[in-house]
Every structure is written in structure tokens, then in C-alpha cells.
Amino acid sequence: MELIQAIKAREQAVKSRDTESVIAFYHPQVIVFDVVQPLQHYGLDAVRSRLQEWFGTLATIIDFEIRVLHAGEENNTAWCATLNHIVAQTHQAGKLDMWWRETVCYTLRAGQWIITHAHSSVPFDTSNGKASLNLQP
């Protein structure tokens, strides 16, 4: 599967809230730096737990987009910088409309691009130390 196809397939798996389909895109020893605590998640069980927690906060996903800004590959390694966007209804806070940044590293394994490392972040306002969740590209 080509890298962009893999990214779009992961996007669709998130839209459908299919934890196991999303997990299929991750390496068993993946390291994930998410926008929420803790500082890191290591391995498929941690990523699965985090996805289940996230999906559990969402009543519905209205839209989810992974917008590729830059991607490259060499040999069996690839990397991608994206802006991710979710529009959803949450169980607690109502409507969620949020963009965040993500950098992902992949390895080619049995013809499929598998995520070995993912780093998500949101900018923060230096005047108050709070995340800037209302930014748009």
C-alpha cells in the first residue's frame, strides 16, 4: 500500500471509530507522544487503550481529516507532517472542532506502512500557558 493510501485508510478507520482497524496501522513497539497525558504511550496495548478512551468521549464523529503537508520516503522508512482536524459531538462538552499537528514515522513491513512513532501537539499561548485549540490553518 502506498503511503498516502495508508494515511487515508487510517483516516477512514478513525472516522468509523474502529479501534482494531486503527491499531492495525501501528508497529508493536510504537511510541506515541499524544496531546494528552501521559508524556508517552508505548506499544499497541497503550495505543489501543488511548483510542478506546478517546472514542469513548465522543458521541459522534462528524468529520475527521488528516491533511498531509509533507511526506517522504526512502528505502523502508517514511515520514509525514500533517494537520489533523476533528469535528465531533462529545458526551460532556458538546461540539468539538479542533486542529492539531502530527509528525509520524513509518516502516514498510510486509508491504504495509506501519507507524513506529507519532508525535501530536497543539500550540500554546505563552501569555497564559494554555493550549490554543481554536487555531485553523
Side-chain angles (χ1 to χ4, degrees):
M1 181 182 288
E2 296 294 324
L3 180 61
I4 299 301
Q5 289 175 314
I7 293 166
K8 290 303 175 187
R10 180 172 153 241
E11 178 183 80
Q12 290 302 313
V14 170
K15 281 183 183 180
S16 67
R17 296 166 52 151
D18 184 345
T19 301
E20 294 309 311
S21 290
V22 177
I23 287 295
F25 291 97
Y26 289 84
H27 189 278
Q29 285 102 24
V30 65
I31 297 174
V32 176
F33 298 153
D34 203 347
V35 295
V36 297
Q37 58 185 339
L39 287 175
Q40 68 180 11
H41 302 276
Y42 178 77
L44 291 181
D45 288 341
V47 173
R48 179 181 290 107
S49 178
R50 172 65 188 119
L51 280 168
Q52 290 170 339
E53 177 188 343
W54 183 43
F55 291 157
T57 67
L58 304 174
T60 59
I61 295 177
I62 298 163
D63 194 22
F64 179 74
E65 173 188 7
I66 300 174
R67 186 177 296 177
V68 177
L69 302 177
H70 173 76
E73 60 184 81
E74 187 173 314
N75 299 321
N76 291 331
T77 303
W79 54 93
C80 187
T82 67
L83 292 177
N84 298 353
H85 182 220
I86 188 164
V87 179
Q89 275 302 122
T90 69
H91 291 293
Q92 299 294 324
K95 188 173 182 182
L96 172 67
D97 187 349
M98 176 183 160
W99 288 89
W100 71 95
R101 307 171 291 202
E102 186 175 48
T103 303
V104 182
C105 300
Y106 300 83
T107 190
L108 191 59
R109 187 179 201 190
Q112 181 178 349
W113 288 108
I114 302 293
I115 298 169
T116 56
H117 176 81
H119 186 153
S120 296
S121 66
V122 294
F124 73 96
D125 184 331
T126 58
S127 69
N128 63 22
K130 294 185 179 181
S132 301
L133 299 179
N134 295 324
L135 298 178
Q136 297 180 11

